[in-house]
């Protein structure tokens, strides 16, 4: 009966009757418990019918039935991802890793889930392995470079970007990123060599922004300001506004910078990046009350911001020590490995101890 049932299940799938198709595949597994493909087909029917719990059960049985087979492991991890169970998916993949140490598909999938759960170290290791297995894949090289940058491995990051450009010289964004990294090291000549003639940058916000940084480092403040304004005109977003404000501050136009930032946050109340940046600058300018008010507003809109919690805690440590302690505790709970947050909490707890 197996072939007949399988044919009927295929017909039901084509008709869109996924529940009926799943029932037929389940019947096949009863008649033939070792029919591995039937378990996969039943899972596919359940996924099509959006019954992810049942699909997960079928795939778990398929994994157990065929140890070392990649397909059911991948499908099960993807179903778990659809269920927003990235932690479970990563645990599954880790438990199966001894079967797939050199599988590029497996490594890429595991790295994806590692990033989703915030395990950057594991993602970095997997992409490092991918880069060694696929040395001519420019996309993997670029992704690996980004993870190296986030891990603070600047030299390795730049080396991987250069490797990506060796593989595919037409990766303009990668070239721009490498130039930006060179500027962070104050290697202006290296950045200019990567970017090419400045006259080619007239309508490209990214290149104009890098040219503005170069002008600033070459002590050409007027050129830097003109270029930063042009960038914001071409692409009026918060990143370019903050870059413009930084240039304005560097050339002594603090009032103009504050006016632009204040106007932006009024028109874009959801933009917490700019709101927090404005609060930081007000604090630097000796306006703590205004900065505290903005930090409070930011936390009202999104209370899960460890850095803002930390800044506000530090600002309140003299006027409201108990609240400062509560804010610092929340910040550390969200980012327990952050030393700056730990230092703030320790300082506040020392002040509480002294008060007692």
């Amino acid at each position: 009966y197996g072939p007949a049932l399988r044919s009927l299940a295929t017909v039901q799938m084509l008709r869109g009757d996924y529940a009926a198709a799943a029932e037929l595949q389940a019947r096949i597994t009863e008649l033939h418990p070792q029919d591995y493909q039937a378990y996969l087909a039943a899972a596919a029917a359940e996924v099509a019918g959006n019954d992810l719990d049942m699909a997960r059960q079928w795939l778990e049985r398929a994994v157990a039935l065929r140890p070392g087979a990649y397909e059911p492991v991948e499908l099960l991890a993807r179903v778990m991802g659809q269920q927003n169970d990235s932690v479970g998916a990563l645990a599954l993949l880790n438990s199966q890793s001894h079967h797939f140490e050199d599988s590029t598909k497996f490594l890429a999938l595991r790295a994806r889930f590692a990033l989703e759960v915030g395990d950057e170290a594991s993602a970095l290791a997997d992409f490092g392995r991918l880069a060694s297995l696929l040395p001519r894949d420019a996309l993997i090289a670029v992704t690996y470079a980004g993870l190296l940058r986030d891990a603070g491995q600047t030299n390795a990051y730049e080396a991987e970007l250069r490797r990506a450009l060796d593989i595919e010289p037409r990766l303009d964004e990668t070239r721009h990123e490498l130039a930006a990294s060179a500027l962070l090291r104050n290697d202006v000549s290296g950045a200019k060599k990567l970017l090419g003639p400045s006259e080619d940058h007239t309508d490209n916000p990214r290149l104009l922004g890098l040219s503005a940084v170069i002008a600033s480092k070459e002590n050409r403040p007027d050129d830097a300001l003109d270029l930063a304004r042009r960038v914001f005109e071409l692409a009026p977003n918060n990143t370019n506004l903050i870059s413009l404000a930084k240039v304005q501050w560097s050339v002594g136009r603090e009032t103009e910078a504050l006016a632009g930032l204040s106007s932006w946050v009024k028109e874009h109340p959801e933009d917490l990046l700019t709101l927090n940046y404005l609060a930081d600058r007000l604090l630097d300018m000796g306006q703590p009350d205004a900065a505290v008010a903005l930090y409070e507003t930011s936390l009202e809109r999104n209370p899960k911001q460890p850095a803002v919690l930390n800044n506000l805690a530090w600002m309140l440590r003299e006027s409201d020590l108990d609240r400062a302690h509560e804010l610092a505790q929340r910040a550390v709970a969200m980012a327990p490995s952050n030393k700056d947050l730990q230092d703030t909490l320790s300082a506040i707890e020392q002040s509480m101890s002294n008060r007692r």
Side-chain angles (χ1 to χ4, degrees):
Y1 297 106
L5 290 172
R6 204 182 309 276
S7 296
L8 286 172
T10 301
V11 170
Q12 297 299 339
M13 286 289 288
L14 293 173
R15 288 177 175 173
D17 191 346
Y18 305 122
E23 288 180 10
L24 289 166
Q25 294 293 352
R27 179 61 179 151
I28 294 172
T29 65
E30 292 173 3
L31 293 170
H32 305 284
Q34 301 302 310
D35 190 336
Y36 163 77
Q37 291 298 329
Y39 291 92
L40 298 184
E46 299 291 8
V47 169
N50 204 33
D51 190 342
L52 298 180
D53 288 336
M54 280 303 302
R56 184 166 173 168
Q57 291 180 36
W58 284 116
L59 289 169
E60 287 170 347
R61 293 168 67 181
V63 170
L65 185 64
R66 190 70 65 86
Y70 177 70
E71 185 178 11
V73 172
E74 177 184 353
L75 293 174
L76 178 55
R78 293 188 183 282
V79 166
M80 295 169 83
Q82 287 179 264
Q83 293 179 308
N84 296 316
D85 186 11
S86 296
V87 172
L90 183 58
L92 165 73
L93 294 171
N94 284 334
S95 73
Q96 299 290 319
S97 61
H98 58 287
H99 294 299
F100 312 112
E101 291 179 353
D102 292 329
S103 168
T104 56
K105 291 176 64 177
F106 174 84
L107 290 167
L109 185 65
R110 186 169 66 171
R112 168 200 149 186
F113 284 112
L115 288 173
E116 287 186 6
V117 304
D119 187 355
E120 289 85 2
S122 293
L124 180 63
D126 281 342
F127 266 99
R129 182 64 178 150
L130 279 168
S132 67
L133 291 170
L134 298 171
R136 301 302 298 171
D137 191 313
L139 178 59
I140 286 176
V142 170
T143 306
Y144 183 37
L147 292 170
L148 289 166
R149 176 198 60 213
D150 295 343
Q153 300 182 37
T154 304
N155 291 339
Y157 156 65
E158 291 193 1
E160 201 63 18
L161 287 180
R162 292 187 185 280
R163 192 172 73 82
L165 286 173
D166 287 341
I167 299 168
E168 178 47 80
R170 294 173 296 178
L171 293 173
D172 290 338
E173 287 300 320
T174 300
R175 191 178 304 280
H176 303 162
E177 191 172 344
L178 189 55
S181 185
L183 288 172
L184 289 175
R185 294 186 286 101
N186 291 315
D187 182 6
V188 175
S189 61
K192 292 172 76 170
K193 182 177 179 181
L194 284 161
L195 295 176
S198 59
E199 58 266 21
D200 296 338
H201 306 169
T202 53
D203 294 319
N204 187 312
R206 173 65 164 159
L207 292 177
L208 286 170
L210 292 170
S211 296
V213 176
I214 290 172
S216 180
K217 289 183 178 294
E218 291 182 335
N219 198 28
R220 295 185 284 115
D222 292 338
D223 289 343
L225 186 57
D226 288 343
L227 287 164
R229 284 175 175 158
R230 177 63 176 153
V231 171
F232 186 67
E233 290 172 0
L234 288 170
N237 56 48
N238 58 1
T239 301
N240 291 335
L241 175 64
I242 290 172
S243 296
L244 172 59
K246 289 178 180 178
V247 175
Q248 289 169 327
W249 247 288
S250 71
V251 299
R253 295 176 177 263
E254 295 90 348
T255 302
E256 187 178 339
L258 284 177
L261 292 167
S262 299
S263 176
W264 179 273
V265 297
K266 287 178 181 177
E267 295 174 7
H268 303 85
E270 76 290 347
D271 181 5
L272 300 187
L273 176 67
T274 305
L275 180 66
N276 295 336
Y277 178 77
L278 176 57
D280 293 344
R281 298 289 72 76
L282 288 169
L283 188 58
D284 292 341
M285 294 176 67
Q287 301 184 38
D289 292 341
V292 166
L294 290 182
Y295 287 141
E296 296 276 19
T297 298
S298 182
L299 289 174
E300 287 174 6
R301 294 173 184 170
N302 179 11
K304 296 182 179 181
Q305 299 183 83
V308 179
L309 287 165
N310 180 74
N311 291 349
L312 185 56
W314 188 252
M315 294 297 299
L316 296 177
R317 72 190 187 283
E318 294 182 359
S319 61
D320 190 346
L321 188 57
D322 290 333
R323 180 152 185 254
H325 185 233
E326 181 261 330
L327 293 169
Q329 285 181 316
R330 285 166 55 191
V332 170
M334 291 179 194
S337 62
N338 188 307
K339 188 177 184 302
D340 291 337
L341 308 189
Q342 293 172 358
D343 290 345
T344 297
L345 179 58
S346 296
I348 290 173
E349 288 179 339
Q350 183 61 52
S351 296
M352 296 182 77
S353 178
N354 295 339
R355 181 181 66 179
R356 289 194 290 270

